[in-house]
Amino acid sequence: MDTDADAVMDTGAAHSETHSETHGDTHVLRFVVPLGRPEEEVWPAVSTREGLGTWLAAADVLERHLGGAVTLRWLDEPGAAAVAGTVTAWDVERVVEYSLAGDAGRLRFHLEPGEHGDRGATVLRFTHTFEGPDHLRRARLAVWPARFHHLARAL
């Protein structure tokens, strides 16, 4: 197992922690992103077609339930093909996970109250698990901070 040291990045709204692990060709990226908005405002941004479309991806299909279909087109990758998958976790207002085809992997969004239980803020615990070469891991480590910055601005 290769592990990168925890790092702090600036999302434009707050600092977040980043952690990366590699097991063979499987990579697990973990981000802890403090957001200055309550969970009820963050949840739609990660769990609805309209919300995802403001910062991450156009959701051509999003069936909002466990086992539902999802098809995403990344906003920051114009011309890239849509990626289909399944909603593999759904705990309303708390956890949503999209398992996507190919090397897109699994995206898990877990919402918690802000630091010290602050209900006016949210901590997003995000995990991206995927398979591929190390250059793909490095590229994804580089792109997620910008995506979280877009999320913070969209809120």
Side-chain angles (χ1 to χ4, degrees), residues 67-149:
V70 61
T71 302
L72 302 177
R73 285 181 291 116
W74 310 116
L75 298 177
D76 57 5
E77 295 180 22
V83 182
T86 305
V87 176
T88 49
W90 186 267
D91 182 2
V92 176
E93 297 183 10
R94 197 142 168 90
V95 177
V96 62
E97 180 179 271
Y98 307 115
S99 293
L100 304 170
D103 66 9
R106 187 172 61 240
L107 310 176
R108 184 179 185 88
F109 300 88
H110 181 145
L111 306 183
E112 298 176 352
E115 189 173 351
H116 308 295
D118 179 2
R119 302 304 276 175
T122 302
V123 173
L124 167 61
R125 295 187 183 279
F126 174 78
T127 305
H128 187 178
T129 306
F130 58 95
E131 293 186 4
D134 193 58
H135 70 83
L136 183 58
R137 179 192 66 85
R138 290 190 311 270
R140 292 199 172 146
L141 275 171
V143 76
W144 279 110
R147 288 174 172 173
F148 295 135
H149 175 76

Side-chain angles (χ1 to χ4, degrees), residues 48-67:
T48 68
R49 292 178 67 193
E50 298 78 11
L52 289 167
T54 65
W55 71 279
L56 179 62
D60 297 337
V61 174
L62 179 52
E63 297 173 355
R64 301 179 66 224
H65 58 84
L66 187 61

